[in-house]
Amino acid sequence: MIAIAGNLAAVRRSIAEAAARSGRSPESVTLVAVTKAVGIEAALEAVKAGAMDLGESRVQEARRKHDAIGAGAVWHMIGPLQTNKVKYCPGLFSLIHSLDRIELIVELSRRFQSAGVVAEGLLEINVSGEPGKSGCAPERAVEILKTAAGLGGVRIRGVMTVPPYSEDPENSRQYFRRLREMSKELASLGLDHVSMDIISAGMSNDFAVAIEEGSTMVRVGTAIFGERSR
């Protein structure tokens, strides 16, 4: 457990260094500690060490941890979200990173309006066009956002991507740069209920490069908790 606190501190130092290289303050970058496949005890240890934002990729796992940790953290849904799981999201997730299709956003709007709250989410874009990867095609982004703009109960706060994995983080730079460019293009549309103040990009192996290219939110698991079984 001591390693978690030390690893978290090391990640924060790397975030600060990357932010400085891009002329930004460390506070301009939000660290989401990815607790998927991590036990509740380890997740709690991270919270005690100062992790305020926790990321989960499975709704059921997030619900179990939320029951134990609750308001001690801000909860993020970072994995693909099935439409039939949306009913569990109000009151659970503060930000959903994986909005990638119209039917999902429509269901999100319906469920959150019924609960009397507004869902905040990010449009996930498959910038690389990698087959089989979640995220909408770049050419569909405007259509999806225009639909979201006409709905109540949902607010799009920015964009997210997962580039192809590479051991060399420099190979991810082109995708992070394109996401930043798309964020600016989408912001220029001036759509209702749509803002582009969050760019969620970068994981354990490449978050420093992502920050250099404009990421405002990084999702880091392995560098904090070590290798996991899934």
Side-chain angles (χ1 to χ4, degrees):
M1 292 303 175
I2 295 174
I4 291 175
N7 291 345
L8 185 64
V11 168
R12 292 198 181 280
R13 285 195 296 271
S14 295
I15 288 173
E17 291 166 0
R21 288 194 297 272
S22 58
R24 297 158 58 195
S25 69
E27 291 74 23
S28 68
V29 181
T30 298
L31 170 61
V32 178
V34 178
T35 52
K36 69 176 183 178
V38 169
I40 291 174
E41 184 180 358
L44 275 169
E45 191 67 23
V47 171
K48 290 177 183 177
M52 301 299 297
D53 295 77
L54 303 184
E56 288 287 338
S57 61
R58 298 185 181 185
V59 172
Q60 292 304 110
E61 187 176 351
R63 292 177 73 193
R64 289 194 298 271
K65 289 174 185 169
H66 186 273
D67 286 344
I69 300 173
V74 176
W75 296 86
H76 297 246
M77 177 59 180
I78 63 171
L81 180 59
Q82 298 175 348
T83 306
N84 64 357
K85 299 293 186 182
V86 171
K87 61 187 176 184
Y88 301 114
C89 292
L92 177 58
F93 296 114
S94 295
L95 187 66
I96 299 172
H97 293 229
S98 48
L99 304 182
D100 60 357
R101 59 196 185 278
I102 289 173
E103 57 268 31
L104 175 60
I105 295 175
V106 168
E107 178 65 8
L108 198 76
S109 172
R110 186 178 76 85
R111 290 287 184 176
F112 273 71
Q113 283 192 97
S114 295
V117 291
V118 175
E120 298 205 337
L122 307 177
L123 179 65
E124 182 178 2
I125 305 174
N126 184 358
V127 175
S128 68
E130 188 178 6
K133 178 157 283 184
S134 58
C136 72
E139 58 269 21
R140 294 211 61 209
V142 172
E143 174 194 2
I144 294 172
L145 288 183
K146 285 184 176 179
T147 298
L151 299 172
V154 61
R155 179 185 174 203
I156 305 298
R157 295 285 310 282
V159 289
M160 183 269 247
T161 200
V162 180
Y165 177 79
S166 173
E167 292 188 2
D168 184 356
E170 283 298 324
N171 291 334
S172 299
R173 189 179 294 277
Q174 60 179 312
Y175 306 113
F176 297 143
R177 183 174 297 154
R178 179 57 186 142
L179 186 69
R180 183 189 70 220
E181 293 168 348
M182 287 197 68
S183 173
K184 292 180 180 179
E185 293 165 4
L186 296 171
S188 70
L189 298 173
L191 297 172
D192 291 339
H193 312 301
V194 174
S195 61
M196 286 290 140
D197 52 301
I198 296 174
I199 298 177
S200 173
M203 297 185 289
S204 288
N205 64 312
D206 56 15
F207 69 84
V209 171
I211 292 169
E212 291 170 2
E213 292 298 332
S215 176
T216 67
M217 187 173 284
V218 296
R219 312 177 303 274
V220 180
T222 301
I224 297 171
F225 300 103
E227 294 291 341
R228 288 152 292 174
S229 59
R230 58 178 173 85

